[in-house]
Amino acid sequence: MKQEYAGQYADLERGHWWFQGRQRILRRLLRREADWSAPRKVLEVGVGPGVNLYSLYPDGAELMGVEPEPENARIADGLGGIPVHEGTVEKLPDAAAATTFDIITMFDVLEHIEDDRAALDILKARLKPHGRLILTVPAYQWMWGDHDGVNHHFRRYTRGGLKRLLKDAGFVVNRATYFNTWLFPPIALVRLLAKLGPRKKAGAAVGSDFDKPSGILNTPLRWLFASESFFLTWMSFPFGVSLFVAARKGDS
């Protein structure tokens, strides 16, 4: 993520339709795909400015956050009683490296890590037996665009490819579904048209998808995206802009 872009994330997570819709979807999927019948120790990796920490998890969860961007880590740690430490998967802060967790979550983080398999090995070591790893990633390499470059992504994923990666790392996948499906056709069309358009000149400015103002469309787009949460409660989607996966640590 570009340094100047990181500072905008707090406002985006509180107001942009994509973040708000994703929060609604993740709240429902987290409650469905993880056992919250007893207090759970949860690590969220890549918390950004911390909005998800205070909006996604059931009451009673013992939460800890890790965030690589120093300013976002400072903002998130200052929000309240949930500790947030600066660090990465590869260089976990001492508080996380010395603890095992019932659940680890990473929402649109794995694509930022060059060696994703090594990252999964590190996270597996920090999970208790049969602990859960819950993550989201962007889908389909053919949808690669300026947004991915600006945000320092290394790749996008398919459901089959991500399931194989997790299996090779010793996880058992319990649920894998695409989401952001209703808006997939227009988003895919825009990405494909951008590839067919004239090449940008060297040094020309590129931007993130979040740079595009949604204006009066923000509310209907948020409602449309968030409405997927109802259907994802009882079915999985065969395609979408993003992927959600819930896996558990294997026996070995």
Side-chain angles (χ1 to χ4, degrees):
M1 181 187 296
K2 287 187 176 181
Q3 181 70 25
E4 64 270 19
Y5 186 49
Q8 304 172 17
Y9 249 65
D11 290 339
L12 283 169
E13 288 197 353
R14 293 187 179 95
H16 193 281
W17 66 267
W18 185 86
F19 285 98
Q20 291 186 323
R22 187 184 69 157
Q23 286 167 15
R24 175 83 173 269
I25 290 168
L26 290 179
R27 272 197 300 271
R28 182 163 292 197
L29 287 175
L30 275 169
R31 282 158 175 76
R32 179 176 175 81
E33 302 302 330
D35 179 12
W36 301 98
S37 59
R40 299 301 180 199
K41 187 172 290 187
V42 181
L43 174 67
E44 183 179 326
V45 179
V47 303
V51 175
N52 286 338
L53 280 174
Y54 291 87
S55 62
L56 295 184
Y57 303 96
D59 293 339
E62 183 183 342
L63 299 167
M64 179 188 299
V66 170
E67 167 57 32
E69 204 285 313
E71 180 61 15
N72 276 338
R74 184 192 66 78
I75 292 171
D77 192 50
L79 288 178
I82 300 174
V84 176
H85 307 277
E86 184 181 340
T88 65
V89 172
E90 301 91 334
K91 295 182 179 180
L92 285 171
D94 291 343
T99 306
T100 55
F101 299 89
D102 299 290
I103 300 168
I104 296 177
T105 62
M106 293 199 309
F107 302 124
D108 292 278
V109 173
L110 192 63
E111 67 274 14
H112 294 268
I113 301 174
E114 186 170 8
D115 191 339
D116 51 359
R117 169 57 197 276
L120 292 175
D121 289 338
I122 293 168
L123 295 173
K124 186 176 69 172
R126 303 271 46 83
L127 281 169
K128 296 178 182 179
H130 307 297
R132 297 297 179 97
L133 175 66
I134 298 176
L135 55 86
T136 62
V137 293
Y140 303 123
Q141 191 66 26
W142 59 263
M143 288 188 70
W144 184 275
D146 289 344
H147 176 83
D148 298 284
V150 168
N151 286 282
H152 297 174
H153 294 174
F154 285 98
R155 71 197 69 81
R156 300 174 71 93
Y157 294 84
T158 63
R159 176 163 53 187
L162 185 54
K163 288 173 69 174
R164 286 191 295 273
L165 179 68
L166 286 161
K167 181 180 179 180
D168 289 346
F171 288 92
V172 177
V173 175
N174 296 320
R175 175 82 183 275
T177 179
Y178 291 98
F179 67 103
N180 199 356
T181 297
W182 304 159
L183 291 166
F184 178 82
I187 292 172
L189 179 61
V190 168
R191 292 288 177 91
L192 290 172
L193 288 175
K195 292 179 184 292
L196 295 173
R199 291 181 177 273
K200 290 183 174 66
K201 295 181 180 179
V206 296
S208 163
D209 290 351
F210 302 131
D211 293 337
K212 301 176 178 67
S214 50
I216 61 173
L217 293 176
N218 198 65
T219 297
L221 287 172
R222 179 184 67 224
W223 179 87
L224 183 62
F225 186 18
S227 71
E228 293 183 4
S229 64
F230 171 77
F231 298 92
L232 287 165
T233 301
W234 52 273
M235 66 179 293
S236 294
F237 291 162
F239 61 89
V241 182
S242 297
L243 265 167
F244 170 92
V245 175
R248 66 173 173 83
K249 184 176 180 178
D251 295 332
S252 59

